[in-house]
Amino acid sequence: MTVHAVSKPLAGRVAVITGASSGIGEATAEHLAGLGATVVVLARRADRLRDLVTRIEKDGGTALALAADVTDAAAVQAAADRVQAELGGADLLFNNAGVMLPAPVEERATEQWQQQIDLNITGLMNVIGAFTPQLVAAAAERGVADLINTSSIAAQNIFPTFAVYSGTKAYVSHLSRHLRAELGPKNVRVSALEPGIVGTELQSHVTDVGALEWLDGSRQAMEWLTADDIAQAVGFVASQPPRVNFQQLTIMPTAQTS
Ligand code: NDP
């Protein structure tokens, strides 16, 4: 193996990262670019994406910013068409944009239910729909492609007042298992990442007082994961030899018990 293959294992690959304007997506874009991938960063805040591209390019990487709302299927398809036209298609998709808005179900925060379902499920599917043809084509040509979906430990564990969020993440994990069975024979690896608590902007959108108190207590009680911890895991999963598919990866803060 050459030194280049070790230090830049993703050289020649084109990675699309959703939710790249902050938190896990932003850290992962920087990390994958450092591993040699050309990264396409996608989110709604164009200014944040522009700053990220500038940083990546300053470090010697290659990046393209595509501002889009993933709940808008036409906008996502237009982004995919640009990736095809300008970069020849994606062979790595980190499908990561998401929102967490816990609240007791009896409060009937129906707008927040809808927001989570629209982004975490419909948005995720819009991205899968638009980019899967590129992943399948890349895998046929190069022998491997990656679809990595960000789920959560909430897909498996029970957190009272997080029912809707947890339901959307259970969808992501179970969908990923099914897609792995469907796309694995076509050399597309499918993985679900299930992080425990990570310090990002995710917590800043929470409005429910009880959930905010729970989060504050958790932050005092333990050291949370960082976005870069998750970025490292994504880089690890994508750098495996083509025969190796991490189906599901649970990453916990050491002191988090459930
Ligand atoms: P952040 O809030 O920092 O990041 C969320 C990202 O999603 C932002 O870049 C945001 O950008 C983007 N986004 C939101 N709405 C849309 C939209 N409609 N269209 C396109 N992009 C959108 O949180 P995290 O980095 O923590 O979250 C990333 C993923 O990790 C989520 O799926 C989350 O559920 C999951 N997760 C997070 C954990 C944590 O503890 N932080 C734990 C387990 C899983 P913009 O506003 O510019 O569009």
Side-chain angles (χ1 to χ4, degrees):
M1 201 181 278
T2 63
V3 174
H4 188 67
V6 174
S7 65
K8 302 279 182 197
L10 300 183
R13 299 195 60 178
V14 176
V16 171
I17 295 130
T18 73
S21 61
S22 64
I24 293 169
E26 181 179 22
T28 302
E30 290 196 271
H31 184 57
L32 298 187
L35 294 177
T38 294
V39 295
V40 179
V41 293
L42 206 146
R44 293 168 304 177
R45 285 172 292 177
D47 52 336
R48 296 279 294 249
L49 296 179
R50 266 195 306 273
D51 291 349
L52 174 61
V53 167
T54 303
R55 269 201 324 277
I56 289 171
E57 288 177 342
K58 215 169 129 213
D59 289 340
T62 310
L64 171 68
L66 294 179
D69 182 333
V70 298
T71 66
D72 177 347
V76 177
Q77 187 57 54
D81 291 346
R82 272 195 67 187
V83 174
Q84 183 66 49
E86 294 181 28
L87 300 168
D91 62 28
L92 196 168
L93 172 60
F94 184 42
N95 202 5
N96 166 74
V99 65
M100 178 186 83
L101 302 168
V105 75
E106 287 167 289
E107 280 181 13
R108 299 174 65 186
T110 51
E111 272 183 31
Q112 295 197 340
W113 297 353
Q114 198 61 50
Q115 219 182 319
Q116 293 173 94
I117 293 164
D118 286 349
L119 179 56
N120 302 359
I121 297 180
T122 307
L124 180 104
M125 291 314 300
N126 288 340
V127 176
I128 287 173
F131 285 99
T132 296
Q134 295 182 14
L135 298 177
V136 170
E141 199 180 314
R142 285 167 246 171
V144 73
D146 286 288
L147 165 56
I148 304 172
N149 294 316
T150 307
S151 180
S152 163
I153 56 162
Q156 315 291 343
N157 302 351
I158 305 299
F159 300 96
T161 79
F162 285 69
V164 176
Y165 176 73
S166 300
T168 66
K169 291 303 185 179
Y171 176 94
V172 176
S173 285
H174 205 47
L175 173 91
S176 301
R177 282 191 286 271
H178 276 78
L179 290 182
R180 203 192 75 74
E182 193 174 328
L183 298 175
K186 298 186 173 183
N187 293 331
V188 179
R189 303 184 289 202
V190 182
S191 309
L193 287 193
E194 297 188 342
I197 199 153
V198 186
T200 66
E201 289 183 12
L202 195 79
Q203 296 84 23
S204 70
H205 303 296
V206 175
T207 55
D208 179 65
V209 174
L212 283 169
E213 281 171 2
W214 181 82
L215 286 165
D216 272 351
S218 163
R219 203 192 282 272
Q220 308 290 336
M222 72 178 91
E223 186 177 356
W224 286 358
L225 295 169
T226 68
D228 190 54
D229 296 330
I230 310 305
Q232 298 290 330
V234 177
F236 178 73
V237 165
S239 300
Q240 296 302 308
R243 66 180 177 278
V244 181
N245 183 174
F246 280 85
Q247 169 172 295
Q248 187 176 307
L249 204 57
T250 308
I251 312 161
M252 298 290 278
T254 302
Q256 187 175 2
T257 52
S258 63

